[in-house]
């Protein structure tokens, strides 16, 4: 049973060392009951068998944050949080009260203390901070046949982005335990650098030497963005089905002129001039 996390940015303002002031007094009577001498554990164990279940006492170890372990005697089946409160140790909504039995942490109904358990109070502090981080702009490369193969041309400079990042650092007994990014929001989104990269024109054996400029001029007036209301697009007036049949994606008139010519060459290789019954004679 863990306390519900609180919303404040730090744990209790009471210093850990001051938590033990009431504990020293509170354990004085318990120390007398235990004797804090060899054989005390056996005495408590025998008293459990003789006493009623409601009043039987068990010996447990109490470990508060980084302070030394203190032995106390409490009624058995006591919830660990009540044990800590009974010793006068302040606990806030962030702190953890754990029970260790035979070297393992226990949970649920088994968390009620038994003889020989160790109850640990972990001082939890949550530190919330906000910072700004720079996000690299990145680079977008666009192949083109308008530049010599391998040549590069920057057509737009990039700009780094900025993010506002809220983080929560959790400390257990003053030691870092967890780092969590709570949220990220854009102050300014990055703008990638755009670079044209020259490449060889698309090549298709048997179709490279034809007069594709003349065909494009006849079909669309040489306009790669041409749209015919009858459902034909681009330099070579592809319809969508034919465009897809030669590997095109999206709309034909959205592709670069070089890709449109390449797809037209593939179409010619499979079907000849027939897709262009009026202008195909110009090839």
């Amino acid at each position: 049973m863990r306390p519900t996390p609180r919303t404040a940015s730090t744990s209790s303002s009471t210093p850990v060392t001051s938590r033990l002031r009431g504990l020293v007094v509170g354990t004085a009577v318990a120390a007398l009951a235990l004797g804090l001498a060899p054989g005390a554990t056996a005495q408590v164990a025998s008293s459990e068998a003789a006493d009623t279940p409601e009043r039987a006492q068990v010996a447990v170890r109490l470990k508060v944050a980084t302070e030394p372990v203190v032995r106390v005697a409490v009624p058995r089946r006591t919830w660990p949080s009540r044990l800590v409160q009974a010793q006068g140790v302040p606990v806030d909504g962030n702190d953890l009260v754990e029970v260790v039995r035979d070297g393992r942490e226990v949970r649920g109904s088994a968390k009620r203390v038994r003889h020989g358990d160790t109850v640990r109070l972990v001082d939890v502090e949550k530190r919330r901070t906000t910072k700004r981080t720079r996000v690299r702009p990145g680079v977008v490369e666009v192949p083109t046949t308008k530049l010599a193969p391998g040549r590069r041309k920057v057509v737009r400079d990039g700009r780094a982005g900025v993010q506002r990042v809220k983080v929560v650092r959790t400390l257990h007994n003053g030691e870092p335990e967890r780092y969590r990014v709570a949220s990220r929001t854009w102050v300014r989104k990055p703008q990638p650098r755009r670079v044209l990269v020259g490449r060889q024109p698309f090549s298709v054996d048997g179709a490279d030497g034809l007069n594709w400029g003349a065909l494009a001029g006849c079909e669309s007036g040489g306009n790669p963005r041409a749209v015919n209301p009858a459902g034909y697009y681009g330099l070579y007036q592809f319809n969508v089905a034919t465009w897809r049949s030669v590997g095109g994606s999206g709309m034909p008139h959205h592709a670069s002129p070089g890709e449109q010519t390449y797809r037209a060459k593939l179409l010619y290789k499979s079907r000849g001039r027939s897709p262009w019954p009026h202008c195909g004679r110009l090839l």
Side-chain angles (χ1 to χ4, degrees):
M1 173 178 176
R2 294 177 181 268
T4 303
R6 61 194 178 118
T7 59
S9 63
T10 59
S11 62
S12 171
S13 59
T14 305
V16 174
T17 53
S18 68
R19 296 184 180 192
L20 292 178
R21 292 174 183 172
L23 180 59
V24 174
V25 176
T27 54
V29 176
L32 292 175
L34 285 173
L36 296 181
T41 302
Q43 292 175 16
V44 173
S46 63
S47 67
E48 285 191 59
D51 211 339
T52 60
E54 293 77 10
R55 299 181 60 188
Q57 298 284 302
V58 294
V60 299
R61 300 175 183 86
L62 179 59
K63 180 76 168 67
V64 178
T66 57
E67 298 299 317
V69 174
V70 177
R71 291 176 174 270
V72 296
V74 297
R76 68 178 183 179
R77 296 186 57 78
T78 299
W79 286 107
S81 57
R82 293 184 179 178
L83 182 156
V84 173
Q85 293 171 2
Q87 301 302 321
V89 180
V91 181
D92 66 19
N94 276 336
D95 294 340
L96 302 177
V97 181
E98 303 172 340
V99 175
V100 178
R101 182 175 302 144
D102 299 327
R104 301 178 64 179
E105 184 180 350
V106 297
R107 302 177 184 276
S109 60
K111 199 170 182 179
R112 290 176 181 264
V113 297
R114 299 179 187 176
H115 182 73
D117 285 350
T118 298
V119 177
R120 296 189 305 204
L121 175 61
V122 180
D123 181 67
V124 179
E125 180 183 357
K126 291 183 181 293
R127 296 179 182 174
R128 292 173 172 83
T129 57
T130 301
K131 62 181 180 179
R132 290 193 175 199
T133 60
R134 183 176 179 273
V135 180
R136 297 179 62 182
V139 177
V140 174
E141 294 186 348
V142 181
T144 179
T145 57
K146 294 182 179 180
L147 296 176
R151 185 180 175 188
R152 300 169 66 88
K153 180 180 179 181
V154 178
V155 294
R156 185 182 69 193
D157 288 328
R159 185 183 67 180
V162 178
Q163 275 191 336
R164 182 182 293 110
V165 183
K166 294 182 179 180
V167 301
V168 180
R169 293 180 173 85
T170 302
L171 290 80
H172 285 189
N173 297 335
E175 296 295 329
E177 176 68 20
R178 187 183 178 193
Y179 177 94
R180 178 174 64 88
V181 175
S183 65
R184 296 178 185 269
T185 55
W186 285 109
V187 176
R188 184 181 68 211
K189 290 188 176 182
Q191 178 177 298
R193 189 182 192 193
R194 189 176 179 88
V195 181
L196 298 180
V197 181
R199 61 161 177 79
Q200 292 286 354
F202 291 112
S203 179
V204 176
D205 291 340
D208 288 338
L210 301 178
N211 194 349
W212 294 101
L215 178 61
C218 179
E219 288 286 341
S220 64
N223 180 8
R225 305 296 177 231
V227 175
N228 187 313
Y232 298 92
Y233 308 91
L235 285 171
Y236 306 100
Q237 293 294 280
F238 278 96
N239 63 32
V240 175
T242 304
W243 176 254
R244 300 284 168 78
S245 72
V246 291
S249 61
M251 297 298 290
H253 63 300
H254 292 163
S256 68
E259 183 179 358
Q260 291 184 44
T261 300
Y262 173 66
R263 304 296 173 193
K265 290 178 181 180
L266 294 177
L267 182 60
Y268 175 83
K269 189 171 183 178
S270 63
R271 296 173 55 185
R273 295 173 179 168
S274 62
W276 306 281
H278 300 296
C279 298
R281 58 185 173 79
L282 299 176
L283 285 172

